[in-house]
Amino acid sequence: MPFGAETEEDGRVRFRIYAPAQSSVRLALEGREPLPMHADGTGWHELTTDQAKAGSRYRYLLADGTQVPDPVSRYQPEDVSGASEVIDPRSYAWNDKGWRGRPWNEAILYELHVGTFTKEGTFSSAVRKLDHLAVLGITAIELMCIAEFPGNRNWGYDGTLFYATDSAYGRPEEVKAFIDAAHARHIMVILDVVYNHFGPEGNYMPQYFPGIVTDRHKTPWGQSLNFDGEHSDVVRDYVIHNALYWLEEFHADGLRLDASHAMIDDSPRHILDELRERVDALSNAENRYIHLILENETNIANKLQRDDQGKPTNYSAQWNHDITHLLSAAFGNLCSGKDGAEEETGKLAKALAEGFVIAAQMQGAPLEPHVPPTAFIAFIQTHDLIGNRVFGERISALVPPHQLHAIAAICLLLPQIPMLFMGEEWAATTPFPFFCDYHGDLAEAVRKGRCDQLSKLDPAPSQEELARAPNPQDDATLRSAQLLWDELDQPAHAAWFDWYKRILAVRHESIIPLLASLPDACGTYEVIAPGALKARWIFPSGAKLHLNANLCDRPNTFGPATGRTLWLEGSEDNDNLNSWTIRWSLEA
């Protein structure tokens, strides 16, 4: 990296920081007198010394004596405000030499929060659960943010040191061991990253580099990173090298860019385009699959297009938030008889067959560019969908099992890329409420802000419910979210796991081979009645995949199955699908 602490071949360590607002910067190695750094007149301060080595702890001393951590620290053993530690990235011995990743069409994603995946909440303990994911049929883990955040618990999306793996989860080499072990089981690892704002605690960079953020653009969480103003070249390098850092040093198989709509950039070359080009160059140089995923409030399908062989030419996929119309079905709105039920059914059918209900127009691109279903990630649960309920309940605690089976059967065999939230596969009883670890006035402000956010839910919770909402600052809130793995020993939860394992086996055998070379959109849909729909996908091979879905408490007429039935969830009677019945069939 062009900045930070880099171990040299001769045993010395080079330290480099961009601090244009400081006339001088000194290196403070623990146990030694501060060493002056050379200022080159362009904002950079640098020193190469034999007084440091891997394991040395250090800070930077600003001109007024303020001590700050390295903004590109690889490890913070004493949290965001403590000393940084020199890490030699070459010290870990990798075992995945032959690993080249997996094609995107093979992805079955599993969203995972390290701090609640096991009771210990560490990468070392998570390694012991990888065989469970392999047996289930998972081919890609999506890790919620692991960059250093304040305190011992957080969802991870308010990090302040983008390069440091959070010390609550383990050391950098333990993160690498987890990824190494996943690769040994043919499972990809994709990391969530946040490149739109810094968290409210532990960000010292504006003190010596005010241009890291800008007042010209705002995000809901604070100042935007400065991608298009003075000094933006350094900011862009800071973000792009961070992406390359995770992909090279940690052998990650891809990145998910959280809230990428908030990466605001008015320059001629948008940061999203530059980042993707640099990652493409790495992918080509190392001859391996690297996948970039967008999470975006606008449906920017023009960044999801494919070449003639179906290979992504831009971003691999985007979270398909429109798919949450499935939740309307789960909560009984599609067949309620209310005005708009048929329109809502049409939106769901379109989201299933085509991806986005309405695609955003950007940079003069067509309103709805034709992209294949693999450009969309489908889900019925995510950390947001669960955590933004007052009590963080999972959908399995809110709807009857037969309805949940039906909507899961749609999502898991859909030609879009499916994603599970950890524990979904056994209908885990643990909630996933929002939690963090701030103190003082900031802690109280976050608690009040959380209540204000929850009060705006539709339908709005009562004051009594808000009063009982879990306190994000309470350690018990984190503990309540930690998965109870012994639930798998209970017959009801074991049955759920068996169901998920069997349906994902069908996806591996019958759906994934169809997705290998999809260059274009291939889905159509039809609304049979409110809550009842058909969808069909025609593949380059000529095969036709059919979905008949009756998400109602009464039968609806669909006609006989076309081709071979792959999966029947519920029951059929002649030409009728009975209540909450899903039928997938394949026509050769």
Side-chain angles (χ1 to χ4, degrees), residues 14 28-29 74 77 91 120 123 142 160-161 186 210 220-221 243 270 315 339 341 373 384 432 444 480 485 509 535 584:
R14 184 220 69 195
L29 291 165
R74 285 178 167 91
S91 63
E120 298 86 351
F123 276 103
E142 184 178 309
T160 52
L161 293 172
H186 307 287
W221 315 281
H270 198 284
Y315 283 75
D339 291 342
D384 275 329
F432 193 77
E444 181 59 16
S480 73
W485 284 87
E509 180 181 353
W584 284 98

Side-chain angles (χ1 to χ4, degrees), residues 167-190:
S167 55
Y169 300 154
R171 294 183 56 83
E173 53 266 30
E174 293 172 299
V175 181
K176 294 175 182 179
F178 174 85
I179 296 175
D180 211 2
H183 290 169
R185 293 159 176 81
H186 307 287
I187 297 174
M188 298 184 286
V189 178
I190 293 169

Side-chain angles (χ1 to χ4, degrees), residues 257-396:
L257 278 61
D258 183 72
S260 59
H261 54 275
M263 294 174 65
I264 306 170
D265 182 3
D266 291 333
S267 64
R269 187 186 186 199
H270 198 284
I271 183 64
L272 288 176
D273 295 326
E274 184 177 356
L275 188 152
R276 187 263 306 166
E277 290 167 9
R278 294 289 295 275
V279 171
D280 277 355
L282 174 65
S283 174
N284 292 331
E286 296 191 353
N287 189 29
R288 66 182 175 111
Y289 295 102
I290 298 177
H291 306 296
L292 293 177
I293 300 169
L294 294 171
E295 193 263 338
N296 201 293
E297 284 185 354
T298 58
N299 295 336
I300 47 176
N302 64 303
K303 292 195 179 298
L304 305 175
Q305 291 172 303
R306 269 56 174 163
D307 62 19
D308 292 340
Q309 286 73 46
K311 181 182 178 181
T313 57
N314 208 316
Y315 283 75
S316 295
Q318 180 174 320
W319 273 25
N320 188 4
H321 289 296
D322 289 352
I323 210 76
T324 55
H325 289 285
L326 270 174
L327 298 181
S328 296
F331 292 113
N333 295 333
L334 294 187
C335 285
S336 61
K338 295 179 181 179
D339 291 342
E342 186 163 356
E343 180 183 0
E344 181 75 2
T345 304
K347 290 179 180 178
L348 170 57
K350 182 178 176 67
L352 296 174
E354 298 181 3
F356 295 141
V357 175
I358 299 176
Q361 188 170 12
M362 293 184 65
Q363 302 170 354
L367 184 62
E368 295 191 56
H370 295 291
V371 293
T374 50
F376 308 99
I377 295 173
F379 41 79
I380 58 174
Q381 303 191 77
T382 67
H383 69 275
D384 275 329
L385 290 174
I386 300 171
N388 288 333
R389 299 186 179 110
V390 174
F391 301 106
E393 309 101 322
R394 294 167 179 265
I395 192 173
S396 53

Side-chain angles (χ1 to χ4, degrees), residues 108 110 132 135-138 380-381 395-396 404-405 407-409 411-413 418-421 423-428 493-508 567:
I108 300 174
Y110 188 91
H132 165 88
V135 169
L136 175 60
I138 297 300
I380 58 174
Q381 303 191 77
I395 192 173
S396 53
L404 183 52
H405 273 123
I407 63 170
C411 185
L412 297 176
L413 295 183
M419 183 174 73
L420 289 66
F421 184 73
E424 175 183 331
E425 70 275 19
W426 76 77
H493 293 291
W496 271 103
F497 178 73
D498 179 68
W499 185 90
Y500 266 80
K501 184 171 63 173
R502 286 187 291 110
I503 198 169
L504 289 180
V506 172
R507 181 175 187 86
H508 277 278
W567 190 272

Side-chain angles (χ1 to χ4, degrees), residues 243-266:
L244 299 175
Y245 164 75
W246 295 118
L247 299 170
E248 290 185 279
E249 287 195 19
F250 287 82
H251 292 200
D253 301 283
L255 304 171
R256 170 194 172 267
L257 278 61
D258 183 72
S260 59
H261 54 275
M263 294 174 65
I264 306 170
D265 182 3
D266 291 333

Side-chain angles (χ1 to χ4, degrees), residues 102-274:
R102 301 183 69 145
W104 180 242
N105 65 290
E106 296 180 1
I108 300 174
L109 291 162
Y110 188 91
E111 191 183 19
L112 188 158
H113 179 268
V114 179
T116 54
F117 187 56
T118 63
K119 183 178 180 180
E120 298 86 351
T122 64
F123 276 103
S124 293
S125 61
V127 168
R128 299 194 291 270
K129 303 300 183 185
L130 288 175
D131 286 336
H132 165 88
L133 300 184
V135 169
L136 175 60
I138 297 300
T139 61
I141 294 167
E142 184 178 309
L143 288 176
M144 291 174 64
C145 294
I146 63 171
E148 184 70 39
F149 50 74
N152 293 315
R153 56 187 178 274
N154 202 293
W155 275 14
Y157 298 92
D158 277 326
T160 52
L161 293 172
F162 289 3
Y163 288 74
T165 59
D166 193 81
S167 55
Y169 300 154
R171 294 183 56 83
E173 53 266 30
E174 293 172 299
V175 181
K176 294 175 182 179
F178 174 85
I179 296 175
D180 211 2
H183 290 169
R185 293 159 176 81
H186 307 287
I187 297 174
M188 298 184 286
V189 178
I190 293 169
L191 306 182
D192 275 16
V193 290
V194 179
Y195 293 147
N196 52 65
H197 78 289
F198 292 106
E201 181 181 328
N203 178 22
Y204 299 92
M205 281 182 274
Q207 295 185 39
Y208 51 84
F209 179 21
I212 188 79
V213 292
T214 176
D215 290 326
R216 294 189 314 280
H217 308 304
K218 301 291 184 182
T219 79
W221 315 281
Q223 289 179 298
S224 171
L225 267 67
N226 171 27
F227 292 122
D228 54 11
E230 186 180 6
H231 300 292
S232 62
D233 55 335
V234 179
V235 182
R236 295 168 80 96
D237 272 354
Y238 175 78
V239 165
I240 289 170
H241 279 284
N242 182 257
L244 299 175
Y245 164 75
W246 295 118
L247 299 170
E248 290 185 279
E249 287 195 19
F250 287 82
H251 292 200
D253 301 283
L255 304 171
R256 170 194 172 267
L257 278 61
D258 183 72
S260 59
H261 54 275
M263 294 174 65
I264 306 170
D265 182 3
D266 291 333
S267 64
R269 187 186 186 199
H270 198 284
I271 183 64
L272 288 176
D273 295 326
E274 184 177 356

